Structures are given as structure tokens and as C-alpha cells.
Amino acid sequence: MDRMHIRLFELAAPFLDTRENGEHTRISYEFAGRLLDEEQGDPEVVFPAIILHDVGWKCIPEELQLTAFGPGKKDMNLNRVHEVEGAKIAGGILAELGYPASLIEEITEIILGHDSRKRAISKSDAVVKDSDKLWRYSDHAMNTNTERFGMTFRENLERLGRTLDAWFLTAAGRRMASERLLELESTYAVELSAEISD
Ligand SMILES: [Fe+2]
Ligand SMILES: [Fe+2]
């Protein structure tokens, strides 16, 4: 891993220590690297943005976090807090590491709208948004989200299939998500068939 990325992860770690965000961020970071092999986007923007995008969750009490994200009607004002506070925290971390002001502005702008803004403002933004959502198709998310949202594995797979077209902004992101869906079907084959016979 790039030395600067290691530093960013180190400085982000105290803020990612909630809502399984450490693992979420690590997995999204890996997807960002894969997306940048195929899609346009500035690595100088994308990697810091994805590493820091969820640091703002640390400002939201854990007992309230589940009211602010996930399927169904959610408190979007509270969700907004994680974007606004996250952009502030990220700006501080980037300044501490000596990032130029123009880069800090671009990165924090992406963080500021990573959930609430459905369209991308740049190629880098699209890659960040897709990397964030690709986590939902990981094994880690399959386990985490079924438990969090009280869903069966089948219900979660159906949800991921339904929302795929709406969520992804890049062709590579959509393709990787489809590939992951097939992989999840085989990885969780035992659990899925157990649910049918329940
Ligand atoms: Fe987020
Ligand atoms: Fe995220």
C-alpha cells in the first residue's frame, strides 16, 4: 500500500472505530483500486476520499446510527451529519498531512455529498460512490447487513439485485457488483438453501 494511504488509514482509524467502518473502508478502498484500473478518476482524490468518507459516523451515537442508514425510511438529517462532520474531520487530517488546499477542497466536496448527492460531480466522485456501494456486495456486508437489517440472506441478495442499476454510476462498478452477486450465491449456497427449507 502507498505510504500516504497507510498514514491516512492510521489517522482515520480512531474515527472508523464504529459501525464496522474500519472493515467497510478497507474493502471499499480495495474496490476503488480495482475501479481505477478500468475507470477514469484521479487517484490523488479517490483514495483519500474513500479512506476518509465515513469518519463522520464517529460523531453519531452508536444507538442512533441504525436510524440514519439502510433500507426503509431513515432520518436523513442525521445521515447528513456524518457527511458534514466527516468532511470537517477529513479536511483536518488532510491539512495535517500537508495536502494542498485545492486537493483538500475536491476531496471534502466528495465526502460532503457521498450519500445525499445521487449524481457524481466528477469521474473521481463516481468511482468513490461506486467503491462505497460495492462493499454492500462483499462477504463482510452480507453478514453485517443481514444481521443489522434483520434480513435473510435471500432477502439481502434480492435487495442487492433490485438496486444494482440505480446504485452504480460506472460500467465497471455495475459489472463488479453483478459478478459479486453470483459469487455471493455460491459462497452462501448452504445458508441460502437452509433458509428455503426453514
Ligand atoms: Fe457514508
Ligand atoms: Fe461508506
Side-chain angles (χ1 to χ4, degrees), residues 19 21 24 53-54 57 79 82-83 114-115 132:
R19 192 185 164 264
N21 277 337
H24 161 53
H53 79 282
D54 269 340
W57 279 113
N79 187 285
H82 102 281
E83 292 182 322
H114 77 266
D115 266 343
D132 188 17

Side-chain angles (χ1 to χ4, degrees), residues 19-75:
R19 192 185 164 264
E20 306 239 9
N21 277 337
E23 190 66 359
H24 161 53
T25 302
R26 194 189 60 72
I27 291 168
S28 294
Y29 169 84
E30 280 174 21
F31 277 121
R34 288 176 55 193
L35 283 176
L36 282 176
D37 288 338
E38 296 185 48
E39 296 286 342
Q40 290 174 22
D42 181 355
E44 295 291 325
V45 172
V46 168
F47 287 119
I50 198 69
I51 294 168
L52 299 173
H53 79 282
D54 269 340
V55 291
W57 279 113
K58 194 66 181 174
C59 303
I60 299 178
E62 290 192 333
E63 63 274 19
L64 294 181
Q65 288 173 355
L66 257 181
T67 67
F69 73 97
K73 203 163 160 43
K74 296 295 170 179
D75 181 349

